[in-house]
Amino acid sequence: MFVLAHRGASKAAPENTLAAFRLGFEMGAHGLEFDTYQVDGEIVVIHDRWLNRTTNGSGRVVDQTLSYLRSLNAGNGEPIPLLVEALQCLPESTLCNVEIKGMTNPESWLARLLECCDIAQINPDSLLISSFNHRWLLSLKQLRPTLKLGALTANIELNSLRFARELAPWSVNYALDTIEETEVKRAQEAGYKVLVYTVDNPEDMLLLQSWGVDGIFTNKPDLALATLK
Ligand code: G3P
Ligand code: MG
């Protein structure tokens, strides 16, 4: 089962910072997940819409200039990373999940992603691009059909997986609170990987492993790897 460091090794280091990403790799995580917003011509790495929880700044992320965002402390003196910096610190063959929290325009977002991949010498189609906003994902898929998509969902809906048929994602990424064993099987039989967020409890890790889940997002990759070995 894949262990993805959720916002990096975010229990032990400030979430969504390069320090948390590096620590996750040192712990042996198979992959990395982080959250992004498109701001001022760039793609920056931060989870919340507002700056106050994780930085010493204030206001809405998307209302700021890049130079202001880059002046902030995101924990232990770490800056808010740029997407390109996150990609540059990836070890080879690490699964990297770029979650889109904020996008102003799919064309310019994709153009910037491709530039960042070029700089970091990463194949853009090896990244897992996920979002709760399936319309953004569909727009990206139409622009670049080879993208590997992760359809995030917080629900098991009545029309379960219809959204996935339209998106043809690589994975469906479920909330731990709602995932059921039957849904794992249904999604896998339809051809999708099943990833579950956010799994920090060893008993949940083992239960999900027994269900055949393909991967988990965890704030504690060290604990997950010790539990699942
Ligand atoms: O991608 C899994 C998980 O990160 C989704 O929720 O709010 O932690 O970004 P959130
Ligand atoms: Mg996320």
Side-chain angles (χ1 to χ4, degrees), residues 95-107:
L95 179 62
C96 178
N97 179 192
V98 179
E99 182 183 343
I100 307 170
K101 292 288 192 199
M103 173 190 278
T104 48
N105 174 281
E107 283 88 0

Side-chain angles (χ1 to χ4, degrees), residues 16-199:
N16 283 325
T17 62
L18 297 182
F21 303 163
R22 292 195 183 104
L23 184 59
F25 303 138
E26 279 167 34
M27 289 175 175
H30 309 126
L32 169 66
E33 184 265 4
F34 54 80
D35 309 284
T36 63
Y37 287 81
Q38 186 179 19
V39 185
D40 200 8
E42 255 296 356
I43 300 173
V44 299
V45 179
I46 186 167
H47 179 272
D48 293 6
R49 295 167 61 239
W50 295 83
L51 288 162
N52 59 296
R53 183 180 63 85
T54 59
T55 76
N56 59 342
S58 62
R60 223 163 51 124
V61 172
V62 294
D63 293 337
Q64 313 306 319
T65 61
L66 186 61
S67 63
Y68 174 69
L69 293 175
R70 292 288 277 172
S71 73
L72 298 177
N73 180 350
N76 294 349
E78 292 281 322
I80 295 174
L82 303 177
L83 173 65
V84 68
E85 294 171 330
L87 298 181
Q88 281 172 319
C89 83
L90 282 180
E92 239 172 84
S93 78
T94 305
L95 179 62
C96 178
N97 179 192
V98 179
E99 182 183 343
I100 307 170
K101 292 288 192 199
M103 173 190 278
T104 48
N105 174 281
E107 283 88 0
S108 59
W109 188 93
L110 182 61
R112 187 62 192 142
L113 177 84
L114 297 182
E115 286 168 4
C116 292
C117 286
D118 203 34
I119 295 165
Q121 298 195 305
I122 284 182
N123 175 359
D125 300 322
S126 71
L127 300 172
L128 179 61
I129 309 296
S130 71
S131 187
F132 287 104
N133 188 324
H134 297 174
R135 291 178 194 164
W136 290 341
L137 294 181
L138 192 58
S139 299
L140 292 173
K141 185 92 174 184
Q142 285 161 351
L143 292 167
R144 188 179 173 95
T146 50
L147 280 180
K148 187 190 279 192
L149 299 183
L152 272 160
T153 179
N155 305 309
I156 307 286
E157 301 187 8
L158 285 180
N159 61 5
S160 169
L161 291 174
R162 203 167 72 191
F163 65 88
R165 281 202 291 281
E166 199 165 338
L167 280 174
W170 181 78
S171 65
V172 181
N173 303 356
Y174 289 94
L176 175 62
D177 287 345
T178 56
I179 190 65
E180 296 166 357
E181 189 174 11
T182 49
E183 183 72 5
V184 174
K185 300 285 171 279
R186 192 176 299 132
Q188 289 174 333
E189 277 164 22
Y192 315 122
K193 304 275 187 220
V194 170
L195 307 181
V196 179
Y197 64 92
T198 303
V199 189

